[in-house]
């Protein structure tokens, strides 16, 4: 080829490549509808991010590691011990590293790709169900009970998970053998924000010391459209009783700490001064993930789950459940949810034993914390670290965190009131979940029996200290 022709061809290639990169960039960051550039729809976990390609494709020209970093930035806090049985650290061990040649378990996209709905199953999994065989092919060699088991059954409900096995490891199962299906006097732990707020250093104690306020203390500027209803709702509820004056929400501080001008529509930034953990967790689940990504709030009309048509355009914010100025936590726990959700499981709650329990608790017939609401299971009260030296029982505002695989719900919810064996059976019974737990489980999971056999075997071979997950 002549030198001149070569130069022209290179030029054409260069211009073409730059134009394509520019096209990609304009799609990713520009005004054109970016969804048109997607090779296929996003998975259920991420479909809300379709307006924000850059949430994952941080740099449109960067592949592998850039994408990996995006996954870790959003999910990294639970991809380590004790929340994860296969964290990256496990494969840094030279004894395990050779397994990576069979399947690259260090990169999330190996098992969770995107834009390919045809291969993506529950939990965003894009590998065949029997993927455990790559590394555990010889599991039955030391575990007589596992002889003949199909690898596709490893992750059946109540057996094992790839990531979170906190309710499924042998010692835990053994500790919970032979528990009553329904424990006497089961309650969830009490909320404790009010009791510890004095010790939380990031709380704005200077502006709003914890003390009961009266109508005369109201600090709304003259001209604010205060109605008697607002005044009453505020006075009768916890904020006024804890020193949270009108300007706390309506004039939150700017970056320099100076209170901003009064607004009639305060956003979540105001709440975050005092409820930073609730705001953070809300942003990590499907209710708040769009706000956290800087997008407009989620609305039911964009949902893949069934929703009530009359709230199609309701924006999902703190107020969807708490409504100013009562910030009611009882209404938030059932009524708010059923105002939007419209699936079989949700609709079955009212006539379930738990629904009856909830009404009794609200009527004062039983302990308030013995009731079961939607929030008891989906927004459980969990002990969270406030900082390095302090934790508190807090309502987990990430309603996705305990959802799936559903064994993640056992420790923060069921175990307060039910035995482990009963809970595993109930959560393996899809028809029972659809009826919102109205009735006895019709499915039996072998996990507890295998753990018991293993305990006997270990005792018989006393000295053989086999405490691993695959003990049975
Ligand atoms: C939740 C994260 C996520 C979001 C949001 C996302 N993608 Fe992707 N995208 C991925 C993953 C994962 C892959 C597969 C990469 C692989 O297999 O190496 C991918 C692949 C692609 C590819 C194929 C080229 C390549 O790099 O492999 C294109 C094109 C693409 N995405 C465009 C988009 C566009 C346009 C949007 C926004 C409308 C978008 N993506 C939103 C995660 C995401
Ligand atoms: C901007 C934050 C963000 C980024 C970036 C992100 N995710 Fe997610 N992801 C979420 C949220 C929020 C959910 C929904 C709540 C949940 O299921 O935890 C979710 C859900 C998931 C799920 C569960 C899907 C389901 O149907 O249950 C998987 C698996 C997942 N993400 C993997 C990844 C991988 C792999 C990447 C990188 C390619 C990634 N995520 C990038 C925020 C993010
Ligand atoms: C070797 C395969 C594999 C790799 C690699 C992998 N996952 Fe998973 N992931 C799974 C399987 C299997 C499930 C289904 C639930 C289970 O078994 O834990 C799952 C479920 C999930 C879920 C939903 C359920 C949950 O427990 O939160 C999220 C989110 C998730 N993975 C994120 C990630 C992220 C982020 C990475 C990378 C740091 C990653 N995964 C790497 C196999 C994998
Ligand atoms: C890339 C290799 C790899 C894959 C794939 C893999 N594992 Fe593992 N797994 C390991 C290693 C390494 C260990 C630690 C050594 C051991 O205990 O055998 C381990 C340990 C475990 C443990 C014990 C965890 C603990 O904390 O003691 C369980 C449970 C487990 N794997 C289940 C699974 C299941 C279920 C799958 C399939 C969804 C799976 N593994 C897929 C490599 C893998
Ligand atoms: C804990 C936070 C908080 C406190 C404290 C608070 N407000 Fe509000 N207020 C809100 C929120 C949030 C809205 C927005 C409601 C909406 O968007 O529908 C609001 C709305 C309003 C509005 C607009 C009209 C309306 O009903 O939407 C007025 C006026 C108002 N508040 C006055 C007050 C006064 C006066 C006080 C003190 C007695 C007060 N607020 C205390 C959070 C608060
Ligand atoms: C200046 C700090 C401050 C701000 C700002 C603030 N709160 Fe509060 N909030 C508190 C304190 C303190 C309590 C605990 C009061 C108690 O239980 O005695 C509380 C309690 C609550 C409760 C529980 C009420 C109950 O009946 O148990 C909810 C819900 C709540 N806040 C929501 C919000 C929302 C939503 C916002 C933003 C619109 C907000 N708060 C803004 C300090 C604040
Ligand atoms: C999906 C409904 C829902 C949304 C949205 C919601 N909350 Fe809540 N919130 C609840 C429920 C239900 C409770 C009480 C649960 C309980 O008592 O166990 C609660 C409790 C609280 C409490 C008391 C927590 C404690 O540990 O004492 C605070 C504070 C609070 N919410 C703040 C917020 C803030 C701030 C937002 C917005 C980022 C928000 N909530 C959004 C349902 C919601
Ligand atoms: C304003 C309407 C609204 C309210 C109120 C509401 N939700 Fe949701 N909820 C949604 C939307 C929208 C989604 C996202 C569905 C999707 O992405 O397909 C969602 C998702 C969920 C999910 C699925 C999470 C996942 O990771 O798959 C659960 C569980 C859930 N909500 C439970 C509740 C509970 C419990 C309450 C009450 C405490 C509640 N919701 C209140 C609209 C609402
Ligand atoms: C006793 C615990 C419990 C109670 C009470 C409960 N749920 Fe559930 N919910 C579950 C379990 C378990 C699942 C199934 C998770 C799985 O296996 O994927 C589920 C699933 C869901 C889903 C579907 C999520 C999806 O991605 O398909 C929604 C929405 C939901 N619940 C909302 C509610 C609402 C609203 C209420 C109250 C009216 C409620 N739940 C009461 C335990 C509970
Ligand atoms: C705060 C306590 C509490 C929590 C948390 C709780 N339950 Fe229950 N549950 C009960 C009580 C008490 C009953 C019996 C009610 C009755 O018979 O009137 C019950 C009944 C049931 C039933 C029906 C049993 C029957 O014989 O009809 C099932 C199934 C069930 N629960 C499963 C679960 C699962 C699964 C979880 C966790 C996701 C859970 N529960 C969380 C207290 C609780």
């Amino acid at each position: 080829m002549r030198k001149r022709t070569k130069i022209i061809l290179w030029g054409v290639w260069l211009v073409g490549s730059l134009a394509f990169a520019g096209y990609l960039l304009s799609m990713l960051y520009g005004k054109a509808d970016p969804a048109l550039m997607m090779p296929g729809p996003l998975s259920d976990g991420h479909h809300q991010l379709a307006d924000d390609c850059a949430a994952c494709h941080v740099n449109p020209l960067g592949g592998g590691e850039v994408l990996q970093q995006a996954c870790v930035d959003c999910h990294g806090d639970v991809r380590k011990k004790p929340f994860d049985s296969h964290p990256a650290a496990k494969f840094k061990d030279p004894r395990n590293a050779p397994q990576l040649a069979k399947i690259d378990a260090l990169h999330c996209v190996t098992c969770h790709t995107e834009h390919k709905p045809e291969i993506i199953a529950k939990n965003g999994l894009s590998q065949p169900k029997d993927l455990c065989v790559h590394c555990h092919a010889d599991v039955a060699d030391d575990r007589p009970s596992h002889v003949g088991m199909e690898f596709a059954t490893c992750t059946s409900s109540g057996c094992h998970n790839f990531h979170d096995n906190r309710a499924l490891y042998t010692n835990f199962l053994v500790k919970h053998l032979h528990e009553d299906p329904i424990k006497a006097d089961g309650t969830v732990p009490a909320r404790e924000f009010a009791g510890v707020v004095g010790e939380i250093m990031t709380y704005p104690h200077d502006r709003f010391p914890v003390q009961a306020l009266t109508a005369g203390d109201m600090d709304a500027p003259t001209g604010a459209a205060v109605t008697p209803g607002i005044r009453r709702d505020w006075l009768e509820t916890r904020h006024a009783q804890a020193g949270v004056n009108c300007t706390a929400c309506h004039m939150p501080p700017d970056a320099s700490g100076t209170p901003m001008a009064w607004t009639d529509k305060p956003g979540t930034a105001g709440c975050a001064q005092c409820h930073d953990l609730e705001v953070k967790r809300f942003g990590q689940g499907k209710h708040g993930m769009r706000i956290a990504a800087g997008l407009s709030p989620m609305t039911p009309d964009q949902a893949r789950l069934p929703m009530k048509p009359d709230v199609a355009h309701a924006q999902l914010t703190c107020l969807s459940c708490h409504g100013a100025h009562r910030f009611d936590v009882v209404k938030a726990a059932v009524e708010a949810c059923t105002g939007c959700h419209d699936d079989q499981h949700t609709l079955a709650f009212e006539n379930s034993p738990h629904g009856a329990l909830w009404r009794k608790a609200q009527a004062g017939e039983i302990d308030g914390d013995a009731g079961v609401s939607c929030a008891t299971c989906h927004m459980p009260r969990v002990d969270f670290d406030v900082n390095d030296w302090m934790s508190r029982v807090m309502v987990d505002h990430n309603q996705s965190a305990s959802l799936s695989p559903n064994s993640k719900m056992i420790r923060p919810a069921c175990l307060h009131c039910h035995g482990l064996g009963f809970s595993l059976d109930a959560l393996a019974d899809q028809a029972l979940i659809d009826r919102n737990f109205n009735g006895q489980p019709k499915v039996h999971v072998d996990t507890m029996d295998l753990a018991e056999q293993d305990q006997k075997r270990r005792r018989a071979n006393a000295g053989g200290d086999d405490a691993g997950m695959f003990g049975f």
Side-chain angles (χ1 to χ4, degrees):
M1 203 184 295
R2 294 220 335 253
K3 198 172 167 201
R4 211 179 124 83
T5 321
K6 243 190 198 164
I7 291 175
I8 291 174
L9 282 177
W10 275 106
V12 168
W13 174 82
L14 190 69
V15 170
S17 302
L18 285 175
F20 184 62
Y23 177 61
L24 270 178
L25 278 165
S26 76
M27 282 301 185
L28 291 171
Y29 299 101
K31 293 215 160 49
D33 182 0
L36 295 174
M37 265 298 287
M38 277 199 290
L42 286 162
S43 63
D44 288 350
H46 297 134
H47 76 97
Q48 296 188 25
L49 297 175
D51 298 336
D52 185 21
C53 317
C56 293
H57 300 285
V58 181
N59 172 348
L61 303 173
E65 296 306 326
V66 180
L67 209 49
Q68 173 72 10
Q69 193 53 48
C71 315
V72 172
D73 285 346
C74 286
H75 292 287
D77 52 346
V78 286
R79 291 291 77 98
K80 51 190 173 210
K81 272 189 167 174
F83 307 100
D84 201 327
S85 302
H86 298 87
K90 187 162 231 155
F91 300 104
K92 301 242 160 76
D93 183 329
R95 281 168 301 175
N96 297 331
Q99 293 174 334
L100 297 176
K102 295 179 203 145
I103 180 168
D104 176 8
L106 287 180
H107 288 93
C108 313
V109 297
T110 304
C111 301
H112 304 292
T113 191
E114 269 298 349
H115 311 299
K116 291 191 181 133
E118 64 283 4
I119 57 163
I120 294 180
K122 210 170 175 297
N123 295 311
L125 185 65
S126 50
Q127 281 280 347
K129 266 200 100 180
D130 62 357
L131 73 115
C132 321
V133 73
H134 292 294
C135 306
H136 295 293
D138 52 4
V139 59
D141 293 356
D142 320 322
R143 327 282 168 197
S145 62
H146 281 55
V147 173
M149 283 187 186
E150 298 278 342
F151 279 92
T153 65
C154 307
T155 56
S156 298
S157 184
C159 295
H160 305 286
N161 296 324
F162 182 73
H163 295 299
D164 190 327
N165 285 296
R166 280 178 302 156
L168 296 170
Y169 62 93
T170 309
N171 287 354
F172 186 77
L173 300 171
V174 166
K175 204 173 118 198
H176 293 274
L177 284 173
H178 306 300
E179 288 174 332
D180 288 338
I182 299 179
K183 297 178 183 172
D185 305 325
T187 55
V188 294
R191 294 193 278 123
E192 49 181 33
F193 186 61
V196 299
V197 67
E199 297 166 54
I200 299 178
M201 285 165 72
T202 49
Y203 189 89
H205 293 288
D206 304 350
R207 265 181 90 194
F208 303 104
V210 181
Q211 61 185 42
L213 300 176
T214 61
D217 297 319
M218 258 173 47
D219 67 353
T222 42
V226 186
T227 61
I230 293 179
R231 192 186 304 127
R232 186 204 55 224
D233 283 352
W234 174 71
L235 273 175
E236 287 175 358
T237 50
R238 303 300 276 268
H239 282 126
Q241 288 151 20
V244 184
N245 218 324
C246 318
T247 56
C249 298
H250 288 277
M251 299 174 66
D254 62 17
S256 72
T258 323
M260 295 193 276
W262 176 273
T263 164
D264 266 355
K265 295 233 173 279
T268 44
C271 320
Q273 298 168 79
C274 309
H275 303 303
D276 52 340
L277 273 177
E278 284 86 352
V279 173
K280 181 175 163 224
R281 293 298 292 171
F282 173 70
Q284 290 173 337
K286 280 203 186 160
H287 284 154
M289 68 192 283
R290 282 183 56 94
I291 294 185
L295 302 168
S296 59
M298 182 63 180
T299 50
D301 63 339
Q302 302 174 69
R304 289 186 180 174
L305 294 172
M307 296 280 154
K308 298 241 153 72
D310 53 324
V311 290
H313 305 293
Q315 294 199 325
L316 243 169
T317 68
C318 308
L319 302 182
S320 309
C321 299
H322 293 301
H325 290 89
R326 297 200 76 84
F327 299 95
D328 189 335
V329 286
V330 173
K331 241 177 125 177
V334 178
E335 247 179 84
C337 326
T338 54
C340 288
H341 288 278
D342 201 19
D343 51 87
Q344 196 188 347
H345 160 90
T346 296
L347 299 174
F349 174 76
E350 202 188 336
N351 294 323
S352 72
H354 289 146
L357 221 49
W358 178 247
R359 287 188 294 276
K360 276 192 201 156
Q362 297 324 309
E365 292 163 26
I366 55 170
D367 186 326
D369 290 337
V372 180
S373 66
C374 314
T376 307
C377 294
H378 291 290
M379 302 176 62
R381 298 176 186 178
V382 188
D383 204 17
F384 265 91
D385 288 341
V386 176
N387 50 42
D388 287 345
W389 62 89
M390 189 183 151
S391 71
R392 72 171 166 99
V393 173
M394 188 189 80
V395 174
D396 189 352
H397 278 66
N398 176 355
Q399 86 299 346
S400 303
S402 56
L403 185 70
S404 89
N406 66 28
S407 53
K408 280 160 71 181
M409 211 178 261
I410 292 176
R411 287 175 72 129
C414 321
L415 269 196
H416 295 301
C417 310
H418 296 287
L420 180 57
F422 175 84
S423 306
L424 286 170
D425 290 349
L427 290 170
D429 186 341
Q430 185 60 49
L432 184 60
I433 296 176
D434 292 344
R435 291 198 303 276
N436 217 316
F437 306 98
N438 194 354
Q440 285 282 317
K442 298 248 159 43
V443 169
H444 178 63
V445 180
D446 291 336
T447 299
M448 300 303 286
D449 314 324
L450 293 174
E452 189 171 21
Q453 278 172 31
D454 176 59
Q455 189 195 29
K456 287 189 185 135
R457 188 172 63 106
R458 272 198 267 169
R459 284 198 181 135
N461 315 344
D465 179 23
D466 184 359
M469 181 72 190
F470 281 152
F472 35 78

